[in-house]
């Protein structure tokens, strides 16, 4: 039988595969995070009709004569270049500007995706459309910091549920003490508030009594429910001759206060460096103190480094979670699993999970999604050339058939 039949059949078969790849790309032109694929061909072995000979005896060399026996599919490559980023306005929609992958988990193993369409489920956990949990790091048990050295886990955003409170640990006082006051005169009293570890507010008062030139004694008092006062701190503050705070002579002791009712004891650092002593009536206020009353999580925002920041009803803002991204030595080696998911293979390398913006993982864009990177113009061109190549191979088969018919008709 003619070799051209086998060659043409291999062309038909493999161009049909390429057309399948092109059709799949066009079908996914609007699939979020989809990465286009391309089919590549190579020739297969050739039959040698005569070997080559070297120049000899005054005659030149002769090239080998070979007839190819068709073609085959060499690879189907995935193009991991970035797609266009489109804004959505949804705070849980995320796009990656770089080469990273989101890490999602189905309860048994991790998968990887460029599809950043996430939502909060009934428990506040960030999940994708298939219910897989987005991986990252949440605040540690003490609620103060995010420990990214731990293995990543689920990310929970408990809107309307989580409440926080903070104890006062430092206070900066500002204002003025009247330089014209007489030593030993009645003290000047100024109230302020502090918060314990449970968010309870307590009223305290600071009293300043001039004890000498450029020198003032102070006492801190706390009040119980019956209005009885207890001294919780005292000391002396001094000023320079131009009425400024004397840094060399002052080192105020902290306030030691036991709020009771199950709250932790407080040790509050005092800062009087913003006080002045000038010829003006005494007026002192507590400024820039920390500590706050209980508040519930009301809104959140996701930054470009993957940090999720929560805003509470008491006006406090704090980091509540960190999104993780994965990178691979060879992303083209990843295996497509459907549902916009990838899994590792023996040629992709292991997943390197870390922070966005590091090791080429890229930054995040919130309220946006990465669209497909399919180039329709290129795909239609590929479809046309593939169709013509398929058509040409059918003509080879038709022509080979005509030759066989003529051979058969020789006997007639």
């Amino acid at each position: 039988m003619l070799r051209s039949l086998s060659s043409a059949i291999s062309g038909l078969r493999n161009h049909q595969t390429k057309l399948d790849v092109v059709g799949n790309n066009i079908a996914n032109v609007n699939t979020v995070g989809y990465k286009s694929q391309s089919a590549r061909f190579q020739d297969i072995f050739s039959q040698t009709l005569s070997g080559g000979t070297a120049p000899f005896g005054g005659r030149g060399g002769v090239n080998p004569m070979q007839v190819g026996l068709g073609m085959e599919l060499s690879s189907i490559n995935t193009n991991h270049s970035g797609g266009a980023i489109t804004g959505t306005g949804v705070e849980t929609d995320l796009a990656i500007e770089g080469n990273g992958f989101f890490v999602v988990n189905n309860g048994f193993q991790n998968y990887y995706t460029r599809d950043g369409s996430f939502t909060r489920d009934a428990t506040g956990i960030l999940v994708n459309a298939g219910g897989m949990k987005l991986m990252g790091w949440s605040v540690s048990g003490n609620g103060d910091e995010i420990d990214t050295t731990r293995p990543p886990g689920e990310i929970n955003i408990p809107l309307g549920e989580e409440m926080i409170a903070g104890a006062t640990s430092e206070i900066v006082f500002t204002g003025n003490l009247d330089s014209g006051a007489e030593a030993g005169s009645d003290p000047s009293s100024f109230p302020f508030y502090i918060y314990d570890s449970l968010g309870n507010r307590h009223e305290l008062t600071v009293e300043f009594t001039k004890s000498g030139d450029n020198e003032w004694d102070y006492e801190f008092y706390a009040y119980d429910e019956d209005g009885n006062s207890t001294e919780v701190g005292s000391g002396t503050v001094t000023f320079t001759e131009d009425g400024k705070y004397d840094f060399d002579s002052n080192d105020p002791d902290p306030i030691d206060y036991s709020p009771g009712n199950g709250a932790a004891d407080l040790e509050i650092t005092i800062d009087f460096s913003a006080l002045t002593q000038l010829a003006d009536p005494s007026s002192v206020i507590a400024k820039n103190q920390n500590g706050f009353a209980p508040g519930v999580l009301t809104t959140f925002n996701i930054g470009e480094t993957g940090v999720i920041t929560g805003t509470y009803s008491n006006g406090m803002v704090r980091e509540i979670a960190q999104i993780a991204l994965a990178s691979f030595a060879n992303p083209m080696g990843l295996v497509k699993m459907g549902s916009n998911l990838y899994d590792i293979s023996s040629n992709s390398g292991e997943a390197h999970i870390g922070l966005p913006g590091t090791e080429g993982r890229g930054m995040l864009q919130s309220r946006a999604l990465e669209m497909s990177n399919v180039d329709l113009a290129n795909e239609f061109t590929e479809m046309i050339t593939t169709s013509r190549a398929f058509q040409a191979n059918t003509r080879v088969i038709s022509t080979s058939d005509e030759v066989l018919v003529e051979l058969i008709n020789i006997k007639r």
Side-chain angles (χ1 to χ4, degrees):
M1 299 296 287
L2 298 178
R3 285 184 291 260
S4 59
L5 284 172
S6 297
S7 297
I9 289 173
S10 70
L12 289 178
R13 182 185 303 113
N14 291 299
H15 279 94
Q16 178 62 59
T17 301
K18 181 174 181 178
L19 192 59
D20 293 338
V21 173
V22 172
N24 183 60
N25 288 339
I26 295 175
N28 285 281
V29 68
N30 286 324
T31 300
V32 175
Y34 175 79
K35 301 302 179 184
S36 62
Q37 294 181 294
S38 57
R40 297 289 180 263
F41 300 135
Q42 63 185 12
D43 65 338
I44 54 179
F45 61 91
S46 299
Q47 183 177 359
T48 301
L49 302 182
S50 66
T53 61
F56 179 74
R59 300 181 61 180
V62 177
N63 295 325
M65 291 188 294
Q66 294 178 294
V67 177
L69 297 179
M71 50 87 80
E72 65 181 356
L73 196 66
S74 63
S75 65
I76 298 178
N77 299 324
T78 302
N79 176 14
H80 280 280
S81 64
I85 294 179
T86 302
T88 64
V90 180
E91 62 268 14
T92 53
D93 282 347
L94 301 171
I96 302 175
E97 298 181 273
N99 299 321
F101 292 80
F102 296 108
V103 184
V104 294
N105 188 280
N106 64 356
F108 301 97
Q109 74 173 92
N110 288 337
Y111 292 95
Y112 309 93
T113 182
R114 294 282 294 192
D115 184 354
S117 304
F118 298 105
T119 57
R120 296 173 59 252
D121 67 6
T123 61
I125 295 174
L126 285 179
V127 297
N128 68 2
M132 292 189 176
K133 298 176 180 179
L134 177 64
M135 295 286 102
W137 299 272
S138 297
V139 291
S140 58
N142 58 18
D144 292 332
E145 59 183 18
I146 300 173
D147 184 5
T148 57
T149 62
R150 298 180 291 115
E154 63 187 32
I155 296 176
N156 187 15
I157 305 177
L159 287 178
E161 299 177 9
E162 184 186 39
M163 296 189 69
I164 61 170
T168 301
S169 62
E170 58 184 29
I171 303 176
V172 177
F173 288 92
T174 186
N176 181 69
L177 295 175
D178 188 0
S179 62
E182 295 182 3
S185 60
D186 293 337
S188 299
S189 180
F190 307 100
F192 63 96
Y193 296 96
I194 62 171
Y195 294 93
D196 63 27
S197 58
L198 301 179
N200 298 305
R201 191 174 78 164
H202 302 271
E203 180 182 356
L204 273 69
T205 297
V206 57
E207 293 185 352
F208 290 93
T209 304
K210 191 170 185 180
S211 56
D213 293 338
N214 303 325
E215 185 175 275
W216 295 74
D217 293 333
Y218 64 86
E219 292 86 23
F220 287 101
Y221 294 96
Y223 297 87
D224 58 21
E225 297 177 353
D226 298 326
N228 299 318
S229 63
T230 303
E231 184 180 314
V232 293
S234 62
T236 301
V237 58
T238 59
F239 298 89
T240 62
E241 292 180 348
D242 56 1
K244 296 181 179 180
Y245 182 79
D246 189 348
F247 286 91
D248 295 331
S249 302
N250 291 300
D251 185 18
D253 293 328
I255 297 174
D256 294 315
Y257 177 53
S258 298
N261 298 322
D265 292 345
L266 301 178
E267 183 177 272
I268 305 173
T269 302
I270 303 303
D271 185 349
F272 288 132
S273 61
L275 288 180
T276 59
Q277 181 196 243
L278 301 173
D280 199 60
S282 296
S283 177
V284 177
I285 60 173
K287 181 182 179 181
N288 297 334
Q289 74 177 73
N290 59 3
F292 46 87
V296 65
L297 182 62
T298 55
T299 59
F300 66 92
N301 180 67
I302 302 177
E304 63 178 8
T305 59
V307 175
I308 303 177
T309 304
T311 302
Y312 294 79
S313 58
N314 56 9
M316 299 305 299
V317 176
R318 71 160 183 165
E319 297 177 356
I320 58 177
Q322 166 73 62
I323 295 173
L325 292 183
S327 61
F328 297 89
N330 177 29
M332 293 180 65
L334 293 171
V335 179
K336 289 191 173 187
M337 303 300 294
S339 301
N340 291 347
L341 301 176
Y342 295 89
D343 197 4
I344 61 174
S345 73
S346 57
N347 196 40
S348 65
E350 292 298 320
H352 301 285
I353 299 177
L355 302 176
T358 62
E359 300 180 5
R361 297 183 183 93
M363 309 296 280
L364 295 184
Q365 179 66 51
S366 63
R367 295 178 172 84
L369 291 174
E370 178 191 12
M371 303 308 294
S372 167
N373 68 349
V374 172
D375 183 347
L376 273 180
N378 179 70
E379 297 303 325
F380 281 128
T381 302
E382 291 291 323
M383 185 168 59
I384 292 171
T385 57
T386 303
S387 174
R388 292 306 181 193
F390 188 92
Q391 186 179 24
N393 279 279
T394 62
R395 293 294 181 268
V396 172
I397 294 176
S398 298
T399 302
S400 299
D401 178 57
E402 292 175 3
V403 171
L404 290 174
V405 170
E406 293 299 325
L407 288 174
I408 294 172
N409 289 336
I410 289 177
K411 192 172 186 303
R412 293 180 180 179

